């Protein structure tokens, strides 16, 4: 056997030892894998435990009367229809205010603004806003929108306050979604003579739509689950609207506010019933976000 053949055999054996199949499983890798699966299992078990306990306590309270009536001391009924309507009011108004501003700010930061101090200041501001506790937003909303602007405890005051809270979330998610669009789309559109706004409107925004929709729906989830800020701004009214547009200037307590009041009054069964409705809403919102994101990805 020649020396060249011996060298080839030795090289082949060395490559086999260095290959994936020839490597030995290290003990540290096994331990880390076990810890990762254990952490994931604990998270899943916690979710199942919390949801299971809430559903067991709250499902017996859920009825058509519970969902379709309002509180009445005269008839002795307890319902959350007024709170559901107030929640829808606040969510819709907040989206109408925050979504155009958030998407517009993201387009400016990603497509128009030149990298520099201004962009860094704006990004730092949005990140700081997202980290401020909601109770501080509520205090500011009560002082500025409620007292200074004279809106008082109203749905509009709560919606304006929530707009400040969810604006960073919508802006950052839209900005990250725009960054995922390849630069070849931009250069190709501009190369054939399209204006910048036409390119953004017809190419970038449709391509980034899955991320934008996901951010907006996650913002809706935060609105539905917010209570501290709304307690200071929107009040706790539960009366059904007599005037569609006039309702926004009246006090309106959401589902979370009513949940807090029920716990304060030791009405635990009703509180768990409201918690079930909130969990169903949050699960539905998250499921809708996953569905729409997958659908736009398939269409794209």
């Amino acid at each position: 056997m020649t020396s060249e053949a011996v060298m080839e055999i030795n090289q082949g054996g060395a490559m086999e030892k260095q290959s994936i199949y020839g490597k030995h499983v290290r003990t540290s890798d096994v331990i880390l894998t076990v810890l990762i699966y254990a952490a994931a299992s604990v998270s899943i078990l916690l979710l199942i435990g919390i949801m299971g306990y809430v559903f067991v306590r709250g499902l017996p309270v859920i009825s058509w009367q519970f969902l379709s009536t309002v509180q009445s001391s005269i008839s002795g009924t307890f319902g959350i229809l007024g709170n559901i309507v107030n929640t829808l009011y606040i969510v819709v108004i907040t989206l109408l205010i925050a979504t155009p501003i958030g998407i517009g700010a993201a387009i400016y930061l990603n497509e128009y603004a030149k990298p520099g101090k201004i962009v860094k200041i704006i990004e730092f501001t949005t990140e700081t806003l997202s980290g401020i506790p909601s109770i501080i937003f509520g205090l500011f909303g009560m002082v500025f929108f409620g007292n200074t602007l004279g809106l008082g405890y109203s749905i509009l005051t709560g919606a304006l306050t929530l707009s400040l809270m969810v604006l960073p979330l919508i802006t950052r998610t839209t900005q990250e979604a725009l960054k995922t669009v390849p630069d070849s789309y931009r250069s190709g559109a501009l190369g054939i003579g399209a204006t910048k706004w036409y390119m953004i409107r017809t190419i970038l925004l449709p391509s980034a739509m899955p991320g934008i929709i996901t951010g907006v729906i996650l913002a809706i989830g935060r609105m539905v689950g917010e209570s501290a800020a709304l307690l200071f701004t929107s009040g706790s009214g539960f009366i059904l609207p007599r005037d569609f547009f006039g309702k926004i200037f009246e006090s309106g307590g959401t589902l979370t506010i009513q949940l807090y009041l029920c716990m304060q009054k030791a009405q635990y069964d009703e509180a768990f019933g409201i918690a079930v409705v909130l969990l169903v809403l949050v699960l539905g919102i998250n499921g809708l976000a996953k569905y729409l994101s997958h659908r736009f990805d398939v269409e794209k």
Side-chain angles (χ1 to χ4, degrees):
M1 183 179 296
T2 62
S3 59
E4 294 179 355
V6 173
M7 290 179 62
E8 290 180 359
I9 293 174
N10 292 333
Q11 289 177 356
M15 291 179 62
E16 184 178 357
K17 289 180 181 180
Q18 294 176 0
S19 65
I20 297 176
Y21 301 103
K23 285 186 177 180
H24 296 288
V25 178
R26 292 183 294 183
T27 306
S28 59
D29 292 340
V30 175
I31 294 174
L32 288 175
T33 303
V34 171
L35 290 176
I36 290 171
Y37 278 101
S41 301
V42 169
S43 302
I44 295 173
L45 290 175
L46 282 174
L47 176 63
I48 294 174
I50 293 172
M51 292 184 60
Y53 183 78
V54 171
F55 275 96
V56 169
R57 290 288 303 272
L59 278 179
V61 184
I62 303 297
S63 64
W64 176 248
Q65 181 181 356
F66 182 77
L67 298 174
S68 61
T69 60
V70 296
Q71 300 180 50
S72 175
S73 56
I74 298 176
S75 58
T77 59
F78 181 89
I80 59 172
L81 179 60
N83 303 110
I84 294 174
V85 173
N86 293 335
T87 303
L88 293 176
Y89 262 99
I90 286 182
V91 168
V92 172
I93 296 172
T94 304
L95 285 180
L96 291 176
I97 298 172
T99 303
I101 298 176
I103 295 177
I107 292 173
Y108 168 76
L109 290 173
N110 204 69
E111 303 299 329
Y112 287 98
K114 296 180 180 179
K117 291 184 178 180
I118 297 179
V119 174
K120 290 182 179 179
I121 291 173
I122 295 175
E123 290 180 348
F124 176 77
T125 303
T126 56
E127 292 173 359
T128 304
L129 280 175
S130 62
I132 294 178
S134 59
I135 195 73
I136 297 179
F137 280 104
L139 182 62
F140 173 80
M142 180 186 68
V143 173
F144 182 72
F145 298 120
N147 297 337
T148 304
L149 300 184
L151 297 176
Y153 285 98
S154 64
I155 289 178
L156 183 58
T157 304
L160 290 171
T161 304
L162 284 185
S163 299
L164 299 179
M165 294 180 59
V166 302
L167 189 60
L169 176 61
I170 296 176
T171 302
R172 294 299 293 173
T173 52
T174 303
Q175 194 175 359
E176 294 301 322
L178 290 172
K179 288 180 180 178
T180 61
V181 180
D183 290 334
S184 58
Y185 289 17
R186 298 173 175 84
S187 58
L190 296 175
I192 60 175
T195 61
K196 192 162 189 176
W197 171 240
Y198 184 83
M199 177 265 295
I200 293 172
R201 181 169 54 88
T202 59
I203 297 177
L204 293 190
L205 288 179
S207 300
M209 195 57 65
I212 297 174
I213 291 179
T214 301
V216 171
I217 294 178
L218 291 178
I220 294 175
R222 184 173 183 184
M223 299 174 209
V224 172
E226 185 55 47
S227 59
L230 295 178
L231 190 63
F232 286 175
T233 54
S234 65
S236 58
F238 54 84
I239 305 301
L240 290 173
R242 294 181 295 271
D243 182 13
F244 183 80
F245 292 103
K247 178 64 178 175
I248 65 176
F249 299 103
E250 299 176 1
S251 173
T254 60
L255 289 170
T256 53
I257 297 298
Q258 188 59 48
L259 173 60
Y260 167 77
L261 295 176
C262 287
M263 292 297 294
Q264 197 176 39
K265 299 174 183 176
Q267 298 174 338
Y268 300 121
D269 292 337
E270 290 81 0
F272 276 103
I274 299 172
V276 169
V277 176
L278 284 171
L279 279 179
V280 171
L281 285 176
V282 172
L283 290 175
I285 290 170
N286 290 335
L288 181 62
K290 292 288 185 182
Y291 169 75
L292 291 177
S293 178
H294 176 72
R295 181 175 178 181
F296 276 97
D297 282 335
V298 171
E299 291 179 357
K300 189 170 67 172

